Amino acid sequence: MNGEDESKRPCVSVHRRHYLSDHMKTAVDLLLLLAFSTGSLAAPVSSFVAPTNHPLEFIDTSFENASPVWYEFAADGTVLVHLLYDHERGSPNRAAGHIHIKLHAKPGARLNLEFKNLDNVWNGISGSVARELKTLVISEDGRRWKSVPTESLPENRIQLHLEMPGSQLYVARVEPYRLSDLDAFLTALRTNGLVQMTRIGTTVQGRELEVARIGHAGAANRVFLRARAHAWEAGGNWIIEGLVHRLLREDEEARKFRKRYCVYVMPMANKDGVALGRTRFNFQGKDLNRNWDKPADPQLAPENAALEKWLTGMIQADQAPHLALELHNDGGGRLHISRPPVPNIERHLKRMAVLEELLRKHTWFTEGSTTAAFRNSGTLGDGWLERYGIDAAVHEFNCNWIAGLKDYPSAKHWQAYGEKLATVFYDYFGSLPSE
Ligand SMILES: [Zn+2]
């Protein structure tokens, strides 16, 4: 809005259309028909224009973390929601799949939405994300969410059948965790004497990036966790909240945890993408969970350059993390253990086996880890092990189903997982031989 009253501004095109007589319109139609038939104009693609009585009034994407979309109506009334891809620089890779929209429609209306543009390209290979998109979440207030299954149709088509409980309904891929949620979380932490916040740099668009330390800097062991390298994957933020709240509780067990280790978290790497509803890449088209096998480009990936600088400082101060987890969402939920050519790979694999066993013991984790042939070069897990000798791995969380709970994922379940990680880390460091 620019302060001008829109209703008073003359709308020339509408007025002109009004003044065209029916005869003139017929004449225009005839001229167009002639132009198409003689080949001087390309024939328009036939499309169906929605009847004005369609129960969907509007798809609102004006809010924080909303996914950019455009939409149209199919002849049977299905609303075709076209997601927008974000693209990787210098690569065929592209990603769509973040969904966060608000439907405005008649209460009680039955809507059928079909999500388009799920043909992602990942590591140079085409693959539809439709196979992974088995559930979505809905909410009337954007706070209390409910999982709903999607319907898979041939040709990688995904539909969602809904009945509007009121006049507005949010639909999202996973329970959203927005920049404002992070700000509220960090604001509450700032006054806690057990937390130290370090500003480490800024995103492409200038948003501040931080690493928070939970616990005592002098603890014998250090864990690092990062979330939201990929903007749509909100699960990692809920896990970090659960872990941090558990560590800060004033009980005997929390004191025990904090004595054995402290935790460093970079809670949201791709803040620009989260704020503006992107799916994967940063605003210079860089994948923040790639290229960790070489120094980060401070212009193109300032989010990674800032973290690399922080890590280098920690290493120089003899404070390198002993364990690092990079948190993600996908349709599999496995622990990704990469195998770069490092001399101590067997020691690393043994430790990752201990970690996996403890995850199975203390949390609902049942998904297992990647095979012996797995290597995903340049992920934080792979790169930190290769370049810095840090035991690091990517931990995916299934965004459709939690097999260990036989339930849909939710913020509540992911927070509970984070709480249990506190025990996992305690036992993990307890099991390692002292060096
Ligand atoms: Zn990811």
Side-chain angles (χ1 to χ4, degrees):
M1 290 294 288
N2 56 10
E4 195 182 342
D5 187 347
E6 297 270 343
S7 62
K8 288 179 189 153
R9 206 189 290 164
C11 179
V12 175
S13 58
V14 169
H15 285 216
R16 273 206 196 120
R17 223 179 293 143
H18 271 299
Y19 295 138
L20 278 178
S21 72
D22 283 350
H23 292 301
M24 285 168 78
K25 273 190 256 176
T26 309
V28 170
D29 287 346
L30 274 173
L31 279 170
L32 281 171
L33 192 67
L34 201 65
F36 292 132
S37 61
T38 57
S40 59
L41 269 180
V45 177
S46 64
S47 63
F48 182 80
V49 178
T52 50
N53 62 354
H54 195 284
L56 179 78
E57 290 160 15
F58 187 54
I59 295 184
D60 184 351
T61 60
S62 67
F63 53 94
E64 179 188 15
N65 187 243
S67 48
V69 303
W70 66 274
Y71 60 98
E72 62 187 333
F73 299 88
D76 67 355
T78 300
V79 184
L80 306 175
V81 182
H82 298 256
L83 305 176
L84 266 57
Y85 293 107
D86 48 80
H87 293 262
E88 188 172 32
R89 177 181 286 260
S91 139
N93 291 346
R94 68 180 185 212
H98 173 62
I99 297 170
H100 193 183
I101 55 178
K102 185 157 78 168
L103 308 173
H104 294 212
K106 294 187 177 77
R110 289 177 183 277
L111 296 179
N112 187 25
L113 306 183
E114 181 166 327
F115 293 94
K116 312 292 279 186
N117 298 343
L118 299 168
D119 304 314
N120 287 0
V121 179
W122 179 80
N123 284 358
I125 300 162
S126 308
S128 173
V129 78
R131 282 189 295 277
E132 291 191 358
L133 216 167
K134 297 191 175 75
T135 62
L136 292 168
V137 289
I138 55 171
S139 171
E140 284 189 79
D141 61 4
R143 295 287 150 193
R144 287 162 300 164
W145 296 85
K146 191 177 102 176
S147 290
V148 284
T150 56
E151 188 190 354
S152 295
L153 298 171
E155 298 160 6
N156 294 322
R157 290 163 63 223
I158 292 292
Q159 290 194 349
L160 177 67
H161 309 290
L162 285 173
E163 186 174 332
M164 290 293 291
S167 60
Q168 299 188 359
L169 188 69
Y170 289 93
V171 177
R173 176 79 188 276
V174 292
E175 206 162 321
Y177 189 104
R178 314 154 189 89
L179 212 52
S180 57
D181 297 313
L182 178 70
D183 288 343
F185 173 62
L186 295 180
T187 299
L189 292 185
R190 278 196 175 92
T191 52
N192 192 309
L194 289 165
V195 178
Q196 191 198 54
M197 208 82 72
T198 305
R199 198 195 136 191
I200 64 164
T202 53
T203 65
V204 171
Q205 291 197 323
R207 293 184 171 84
E208 283 192 10
L209 295 163
E210 58 284 296
V211 168
R213 188 194 71 227
I214 319 300
H216 312 292
N221 302 284
R222 293 171 289 277
V223 191
F224 172 83
L225 294 102
R226 184 176 78 155
R228 284 323 250 294
H230 298 152
W232 78 268
E233 298 164 21
N237 274 116
W238 296 113
I239 286 158
I240 283 176
E241 280 209 358
L243 171 66
V244 170
H245 285 146
R246 182 68 197 90
L247 289 172
L248 292 177
R249 219 178 282 167
E250 274 310 322
D251 59 16
E252 201 44 52
E253 210 174 21
R255 277 189 281 276
K256 194 179 77 175
F257 296 150
R258 298 195 301 257
K259 201 171 169 201
R260 185 166 285 175
Y261 65 90
C262 67
V263 168
Y264 291 88
V265 297
M266 182 181 190
M268 195 178 275
N270 192 351
K271 283 190 178 180
D272 297 343
V274 173
L276 295 158
R278 298 290 182 92
T279 297
R280 188 177 180 100
F281 305 107
N282 84 346
F283 269 55
Q284 284 295 333
K286 297 299 283 186
D287 187 331
L288 299 179
N289 194 30
R290 291 294 183 277
N291 305 122
W292 278 105
D293 50 347
K294 52 183 174 286
D297 185 320
Q299 303 303 320
L300 300 179
E303 299 88 353
N304 278 2
L307 178 57
E308 191 175 86
K309 195 174 160 206
W310 173 84
L311 179 63
T312 307
M314 292 291 282
I315 292 167
Q316 283 166 355
D318 204 20
Q319 295 283 302
H322 299 94
L323 174 67
L325 290 180
E326 164 82 358
L327 308 178
H328 286 258
N329 280 124
D330 71 356
R334 288 190 296 174
L335 189 63
H336 287 205
I337 299 169
S338 202
R339 288 161 169 78
V342 291
N344 56 356
I345 191 73
E346 286 309 319
R347 190 187 81 157
H348 173 67
L349 295 176
K350 270 186 201 147
R351 290 179 175 194
M352 292 301 100
V354 169
L355 178 67
E356 185 181 334
E357 195 187 307
L358 292 170
L359 290 173
R360 288 177 189 275
K361 183 178 172 188
H362 294 300
T363 75
W364 41 254
F365 180 79
T366 57
E367 286 81 358
S369 53
T370 45
T371 65
F374 180 81
R375 184 172 182 211
N376 201 356
S377 185
T379 60
L380 186 145
D382 186 272
W384 282 29
L385 176 62
E386 187 174 24
R387 283 170 69 201
Y388 307 110
I390 294 169
D391 288 310
V394 174
H395 193 339
E396 296 279 357
F397 289 86
N398 189 317
C399 64
N400 299 304
W401 187 246
I402 299 177
L405 296 178
K406 294 188 172 53
D407 200 1
Y408 293 113
S410 64
K412 189 183 72 175
H413 288 327
W414 281 328
Q415 282 170 322
Y417 193 96
E419 285 186 30
K420 295 291 184 186
L421 277 182
T423 309
V424 169
F425 296 146
Y426 181 81
D427 282 1
Y428 175 82
F429 290 117
S431 73
L432 296 187
S434 53
E435 291 171 40

